[in-house]
Amino acid sequence: MEQVRLIDVTPRDGLQDASGYVPVQEKLALVEGLLGAGIRSIEVTAFVRPAWIPMLADADELVGQLGTLDGDWIALVPNEKGLERAAAAHIGTVTLVASASESHNRSNLNHSRQDTLAALTRVTARAHQFGMRVKGAISTAFTCPFEGEVPVKDMMMIAEAYLQMGVDVLGVADTMGTATPLAIKERIKELNAIRASVPLSLHLHDRFGWGLANVSMAYEYGVEEYETALGGLGGCPYAPGAAGNLSTEKLVQFFTAQGIKLPVELEALAQVRDHLFSVINQRMPSPFARELS
Amino acid sequence: MEQVRLIDVTPRDGLQDASGYVPVQEKLALVEGLLGAGIRSIEVTAFVRPAWIPMLADADELVGQLGTLDGDWIALVPNEKGLERAAAAHIGTVTLVASASESHNRSNLNHSRQDTLAALTRVTARAHQFGMRVKGAISTAFTCPFEGEVPVKDMMMIAEAYLQMGVDVLGVADTMGTATPLAIKERIKELNAIRASVPLSLHLHDRFGWGLANVSMAYEYGVEEYETALGGLGGCPYAPGAAGNLSTEKLVQFFTAQGIKLPVELEALAQVRDHLFSVINQRMPSPFARELS
């Protein structure tokens, strides 16, 4: 595997819990900046009820203005209503979410895992009718803020349901940021055994500085896609104690140093990040992010 | 492999380039503190000419006072004269050093690699006569400050010479802190092919925050021993631009979280580190070190 795919999730996961409001024009500038630095796959927003995540209430407006830009747009949708909005906005890939742990699924989505999976089966079929790609993401794939360590079988139950629906990408999220390389190895090997040619996407929160060690092990076991946010921004508002995302620039630097080329300009990326941080007036949450500039 | 061995090198590599002088009584307190926190294997000093490394000029005095303490003492010796001093001080293991790159070997040891290896062959035989264990360490095993990337065959030339001498442990040092997991994998696999049952010891400098990712890959490929320093202290004075060592407490935390037990008390370790830093009045060089306390 000489290539990996990078998905920048700054506009969605990076900003959804930001302390200051980021106006839609600044989100557009962010997306343009990411494109300019060479990142084409961007999770731009989530089509959820505005009251759920006020920072993403501008989803339709933002996506409506992406029209002239040439990117591979991804949006999180929790249900059929969200999917319809994403389809109307010509989003190419939708990210669906279900948690491996029952209590996080109820806290995050207000439904049991079984109800969520039944609904997502319908959403996946409808998305495919629209010609969209579907990523089925497993939240709390390692640990849960309420239940602690999540049994492998619970993660596998969600993965099997997604594969049965026919998702195009399988996503694994370390919502709490507690994953270690050995846990990554154990769980990725289990997923490899059932996923056939469906690509795996890894979403890490870099709580203890183990993010790149986890990426490295995931790469060793064949994970094709990595989700990151500029400067390590982000954190799930429904997972108390969760840390920021793995930083986009650190990942680019790390892969590049190993001869795994990504078509990304690090200096341009650092400028986009610095501008964004000046907008949200927030100090960088990741100890890594400070080294680059 | 469920167990790893940790060597703390704070008194030697951690302090040899420290900006403030650390009196011998504080070094003794450091060694006692490490023992108290559960770390038994400690590289306490180097038996070099005092003018070379003034911070280690107290080697004989320090080691003379270790008598009543129960530890597994390791000391770096550059030549036969150093070995005689180490033997007189009842050191159990001596670390020998040769560089994979010719120019670093000349800069660091003032000799060609071939001359160094010939001398170390005599030192190893003599150490074994004294009943001491010998670690043969390869400096600049990845990159050299003068020559850039070091060819794998140069590293292997030193490794083969060490194995021929009959060293008890083979050490690999990323002197510059530029190693990546894929480089670790490549080089460790080469060493595995020739080392038979001789254990491998890894000495990292954590320049870009890739230290734990490198450890993780090294563990995956069977490296048994890791050298670290409290708070990421240290840096080779003869390798311009080199960064501090991998931090002992970060390594303990990282392995422990993965179920690889080390008999070390993290809180006690943090106290020893904090005291040491107050003595040398130096801010912690590693971004990692700040998170623990």
Side-chain angles (χ1 to χ4, degrees):
Chain A
M1 190 170 63
E2 305 254 309
Q3 281 214 319
V4 293
R5 203 159 46 244
L6 177 70
I7 313 282
D8 187 279
V9 300
T10 312
R12 201 278 300 172
D13 197 21
L15 295 184
Q16 69 178 22
D17 200 28
S19 49
Y21 178 68
V22 177
V24 70
Q25 289 313 316
E26 287 294 349
K27 290 183 183 178
L28 265 175
L30 166 62
V31 171
E32 288 186 72
L34 289 169
L35 288 174
I39 296 180
R40 286 199 72 248
S41 298
I42 305 170
E43 191 168 277
V44 286
T45 192
F47 290 101
V48 298
R49 256 189 278 168
W52 278 13
I53 307 181
M55 272 295 269
L56 304 180
D58 57 10
D60 303 277
E61 185 187 356
L62 171 66
V63 175
Q65 296 189 41
L66 294 177
T68 59
L69 300 174
D70 180 27
D72 167 21
W73 312 132
I74 302 155
L76 191 149
V77 303
N79 50 34
E80 268 188 282
K81 197 170 269 179
L83 179 75
E84 300 290 335
R85 289 165 65 195
H90 305 290
I91 291 291
T93 302
V94 286
T95 303
L96 314 184
V97 179
S99 302
S101 68
E102 183 71 12
S103 28
H104 186 265
N105 201 76
R106 287 181 184 275
S107 159
N108 199 28
L109 302 170
N110 232 344
H111 290 289
S112 71
R113 288 176 298 180
Q114 287 310 328
D115 287 353
T116 295
L117 292 171
L120 294 184
T121 303
R122 294 189 294 274
V123 174
T124 298
R126 189 94 179 102
H128 283 157
Q129 283 170 1
F130 283 124
M132 302 163 100
R133 295 175 76 242
V134 174
K135 175 188 291 187
I138 309 170
S139 291
T140 62
F142 297 85
T143 52
C144 166
F146 313 113
E147 299 176 27
E149 182 163 340
V150 172
V152 172
K153 71 170 174 41
D154 289 10
M155 177 199 72
M156 292 299 281
M157 186 266 283
I158 308 292
E160 279 158 6
Y162 274 138
L163 292 171
Q164 196 125 24
M165 291 175 209
V167 297
D168 304 283
V169 182
L170 196 54
V172 180
D174 175 23
T175 309
M176 293 294 292
T178 60
T180 64
L182 289 188
I184 293 271
K185 175 181 169 179
E186 178 194 21
R187 290 175 190 235
I188 299 300
K189 282 172 80 172
E190 293 284 335
L191 293 168
N192 285 346
I194 61 166
R195 68 184 175 109
S197 63
V198 175
L200 268 189
S201 182
L202 186 63
H203 182 104
L204 295 172
H205 287 261
D206 196 4
R207 189 173 184 173
F208 300 109
W210 304 340
L212 293 177
N214 288 334
V215 163
S216 178
M217 190 62 85
Y219 177 82
E220 178 78 3
Y221 285 91
V223 171
E224 295 93 345
E225 191 176 290
Y226 299 85
E227 294 188 351
T228 57
L230 283 179
L233 269 176
C236 176
Y238 302 107
N245 286 275
L246 186 62
S247 114
T248 303
E249 56 273 33
K250 276 284 155 186
L251 191 83
V252 172
Q253 188 185 33
F254 185 61
F255 274 131
T256 303
Q258 300 185 71
I260 303 158
K261 294 270 191 300
L262 287 161
V264 180
E265 288 291 332
L266 266 182
E267 282 310 312
L269 209 53
Q271 284 175 26
V272 178
R273 176 200 62 192
D274 290 348
H275 177 75
L276 178 64
F277 275 94
S278 74
V279 170
I280 59 178
N281 191 21
Q282 181 180 324
R283 290 181 54 213
M284 284 179 256
S286 159
F288 300 112
R290 285 170 215 181
E291 289 169 36
L292 188 70
S293 57
Chain B
M1 192 169 63
E2 305 254 310
Q3 281 213 318
V4 293
R5 203 161 43 244
L6 177 71
I7 313 281
D8 187 278
V9 301
T10 312
R12 201 278 300 173
D13 198 21
L15 295 185
Q16 71 179 22
D17 201 28
S19 50
Y21 178 68
V22 178
V24 70
Q25 288 314 315
E26 287 294 350
K27 291 183 182 177
L28 265 176
L30 165 62
V31 171
E32 287 186 71
L34 290 168
L35 289 174
I39 296 180
R40 286 200 72 248
S41 297
I42 305 170
E43 191 168 278
V44 286
T45 192
F47 290 101
V48 297
R49 255 190 279 169
W52 279 14
I53 308 180
M55 272 297 268
L56 304 181
D58 57 10
D60 303 278
E61 185 187 355
L62 170 66
V63 175
Q65 295 191 39
L66 294 175
T68 59
L69 300 174
D70 181 27
D72 167 20
W73 312 131
I74 302 155
L76 192 148
V77 303
N79 51 34
E80 268 187 282
K81 197 170 270 181
L83 179 76
E84 300 290 336
R85 289 166 66 196
H90 305 291
I91 291 290
T93 302
V94 286
T95 303
L96 313 183
V97 179
S99 302
S101 70
E102 182 71 12
S103 30
H104 185 264
N105 201 76
R106 287 180 184 275
S107 160
N108 198 28
L109 303 170
N110 233 341
H111 290 288
S112 72
R113 288 176 299 179
Q114 287 310 329
D115 287 351
T116 295
L117 291 172
L120 294 184
T121 303
R122 294 189 295 273
V123 175
T124 298
R126 189 94 179 102
H128 283 156
Q129 283 170 359
F130 282 126
M132 302 164 100
R133 295 175 77 241
V134 175
K135 175 187 290 186
I138 309 169
S139 290
T140 61
F142 297 84
T143 53
C144 166
F146 314 111
E147 300 177 27
E149 181 162 340
V150 172
V152 172
K153 69 170 173 42
D154 289 10
M155 176 198 73
M156 292 299 280
M157 187 266 283
I158 309 291
E160 278 157 7
Y162 274 138
L163 291 171
Q164 197 126 24
M165 292 175 209
V167 298
D168 304 284
V169 182
L170 196 56
V172 181
D174 175 24
T175 309
M176 293 295 292
T178 59
T180 64
L182 289 188
I184 293 271
K185 175 181 169 178
E186 178 195 21
R187 291 175 189 235
I188 298 300
K189 281 172 81 172
E190 293 285 334
L191 293 167
N192 285 347
I194 62 165
R195 69 184 174 108
S197 62
V198 175
L200 268 189
S201 182
L202 187 64
H203 182 105
L204 296 171
H205 288 259
D206 195 6
R207 190 171 183 173
F208 301 109
W210 304 339
L212 294 177
N214 288 334
V215 163
S216 178
M217 190 62 85
Y219 178 82
E220 179 77 2
Y221 284 92
V223 171
E224 296 93 343
E225 191 175 290
Y226 299 85
E227 294 188 349
T228 58
L230 283 178
L233 269 177
C236 177
Y238 302 107
N245 286 275
L246 185 63
S247 113
T248 303
E249 56 272 32
K250 277 285 158 187
L251 190 82
V252 171
Q253 188 185 34
F254 184 61
F255 273 132
T256 303
Q258 300 185 71
I260 302 159
K261 294 271 191 299
L262 287 161
V264 180
E265 287 290 332
L266 266 181
E267 281 310 312
L269 209 53
Q271 285 176 25
V272 177
R273 176 199 63 194
D274 291 347
H275 176 75
L276 178 65
F277 276 92
S278 75
V279 170
I280 58 180
N281 192 22
Q282 182 180 325
R283 290 181 56 214
M284 285 178 256
S286 159
F288 299 112
R290 284 170 216 184
E291 289 169 35
L292 188 72
S293 57

